[in-house]
Amino acid sequence: MHKILVTGCAGFVGSTLVERLLGDGHAVVGIDNFNNYYDPQIKERNLDHVLGSKNFKLFRADILDFKKLTEIFKVEKFDKIIHLAARAGVRPSIEDPLLYSQVNVLGTTNLLKAASDMNVKQFIFGSSSSVYGNSKQIPFTEDDLCENIVSPYGASKRAAEFFARSFHKNFGLKIVILRFFTVYGPKGRVDMAPSLFTNAILEDKPIIKFGEGDSSRDYTYIDDIIDGIVKTLETDLDFEIINLGNSNPVSLNEFIETLEKLLSLKAVIKNMPMQNGDVENTWANIVKAKKLLGWEPKVQFTAGLTKYVEWLRAQ
């Protein structure tokens, strides 16, 4: 068993991961600044099930505060780090690219430096399919040069990846970069389509459909993402970039139709043009994940969306 730091521990993926790690018997330390990207009370509730655990410790801290990070690292002496803290969202990154570069690039560099200084055994970085942008190479593979990034968010994640590689090369820090593809499921972020669309349909409010509906996303269920992270913890890789995706893109029109069937309700649709920063398609090549991690997704889209809708209705 290990002592593991999870940054962004109060978020959707972070809090779900903390529960899994504690269940597996690890000691977990979480860092989160509970920012207001969405309602901080949601993040507080995300940790309700773990705050009483003797194996979990929470630090309300900002990854931009290098002095505080250093203090935490010196006291806690982590074996491994799973870095999930970030400013998320493509469209908000266009509105405030400075904030995204600070948190996602400098914040990541702070953690890499602290990890290197304290000889941490493994650094797992949660990156994003947004680094591929509108790549011409479909499905997206890890050796893509990522020359078609279309959002500051994607650019900030790619820049953080470069910093991670440099820390491996210069300081020998063992690093695995996991590129997540459109994660959804219970506790899913309120600014993403599953939450926005489901709530709108249930409340008979219009959903906004950007473009003709033929854009697609490689929706990946939260449990599969968590399994991929846990399998990565069990490896001893020096440096790798690995896609974690369902490898089964779903068009926006198909997404809406599936949701209508699950809810037995018709969506009121407001059509809008495609937005700046939005990519046309995402699709993960997962050959590398299968080979290096022994991982592949188990939950297909309709089954995962069914679970999400059941969870949302129970709230």
Side-chain angles (χ1 to χ4, degrees):
M1 297 300 105
H2 300 289
K3 190 174 202 179
I4 301 171
L5 169 65
V6 177
T7 70
C9 67
F12 166 34
V13 178
S15 61
T16 308
L17 176 63
V18 168
E19 290 183 20
R20 170 67 182 272
L21 293 176
L22 290 171
D24 288 348
H26 297 291
V28 182
V29 175
I31 291 178
D32 206 295
N33 71 344
F34 294 85
N35 65 56
N36 63 355
Y37 176 70
Y38 56 87
D39 184 357
Q41 289 301 312
I42 295 174
K43 299 173 190 178
E44 298 281 357
R45 290 196 294 272
N46 283 345
L47 292 178
D48 279 349
H49 296 299
V50 301
L51 285 178
S53 170
K54 66 181 189 313
N55 290 325
F56 179 68
K57 184 185 291 186
L58 173 64
F59 287 94
R60 295 173 183 269
D62 195 317
I63 60 172
L64 290 175
D65 187 345
F66 183 69
K67 181 180 178 183
K68 180 64 176 177
L69 288 180
T70 301
E71 292 172 359
I72 294 170
F73 272 68
K74 284 181 177 177
V75 170
E76 298 298 332
K77 297 180 172 58
F78 306 111
D79 297 309
K80 303 192 173 193
I81 294 172
I82 303 167
H83 172 37
L84 303 175
R87 275 286 172 166
V90 167
R91 292 170 197 147
S93 77
I94 297 172
E95 297 169 10
D96 196 350
L98 287 177
L99 177 63
Y100 278 70
S101 65
Q102 289 166 350
V103 175
N104 296 355
V105 184
L106 178 56
T108 299
T109 308
N110 283 343
L111 286 158
L112 289 164
K113 179 70 167 74
S116 177
D117 289 347
M118 296 302 295
N119 297 310
V120 170
K121 295 174 186 174
Q122 184 187 46
F123 191 106
I124 298 171
F125 173 45
S127 189
S128 167
S129 62
S130 291
V131 302
Y132 293 109
N134 282 322
S135 175
K136 301 294 189 288
Q137 184 176 314
I138 297 289
F140 300 158
T141 58
E142 294 88 346
D143 60 0
D144 194 304
L145 295 178
C146 301
E147 295 178 322
N148 293 289
I149 294 171
V150 296
S151 69
Y153 172 67
S156 71
K157 282 294 191 178
R158 185 63 174 137
E161 291 184 355
F162 283 131
F163 270 95
R165 185 183 286 274
S166 75
F167 269 81
H168 167 67
K169 286 186 174 295
N170 287 283
F171 306 108
L173 188 60
K174 291 188 174 184
I175 297 174
V176 179
I177 295 168
L178 298 176
R179 291 175 176 166
F180 302 149
F181 281 69
T182 317
V183 190
Y184 74 104
K187 296 199 292 188
R189 284 196 352 240
V190 295
D191 62 312
M192 294 185 70
S195 174
L196 293 173
F197 286 12
T198 305
N199 282 307
I201 293 172
L202 289 173
E203 296 168 12
D204 197 28
K205 294 179 179 178
I207 63 174
I208 299 174
K209 184 172 84 171
F210 294 105
E212 299 299 314
D214 52 1
S215 61
S216 64
R217 295 292 178 268
D218 199 352
Y219 290 99
T220 313
Y221 192 67
I222 181 63
D223 290 359
D224 286 329
I225 291 292
I226 298 302
D227 282 343
I229 297 172
V230 170
K231 285 183 180 295
T232 304
L233 279 172
E234 297 165 355
T235 67
D236 189 32
L237 301 167
D238 284 335
F239 181 88
E240 293 291 347
I241 299 175
I242 303 173
N243 289 336
L244 292 184
N246 200 51
S247 201
N248 186 25
V250 175
S251 74
L252 179 56
N253 284 335
E254 184 184 347
F255 177 93
I256 294 170
E257 289 166 8
T258 303
L259 197 51
E260 288 176 325
K261 289 176 183 176
L262 291 176
L263 297 173
S264 299
L265 293 167
K266 200 71 178 168
V268 179
I269 297 174
K270 181 179 180 181
N271 292 289
M272 297 284 284
M274 286 287 284
Q275 299 288 288
N276 286 340
D278 281 353
V279 299
E280 295 165 9
N281 307 288
T282 66
W283 183 357
N285 179 316
I286 56 173
V287 170
K288 199 171 182 182
K290 290 178 181 178
K291 180 181 177 182
L292 296 182
L293 304 179
W295 176 90
E296 58 184 316
K298 297 174 183 174
V299 183
Q300 292 307 306
F301 177 67
T302 301
L305 195 59
T306 300
K307 292 181 179 183
Y308 173 72
V309 167
E310 288 172 351
W311 171 83
L312 190 66
R313 283 181 143 167
Q315 299 308 297

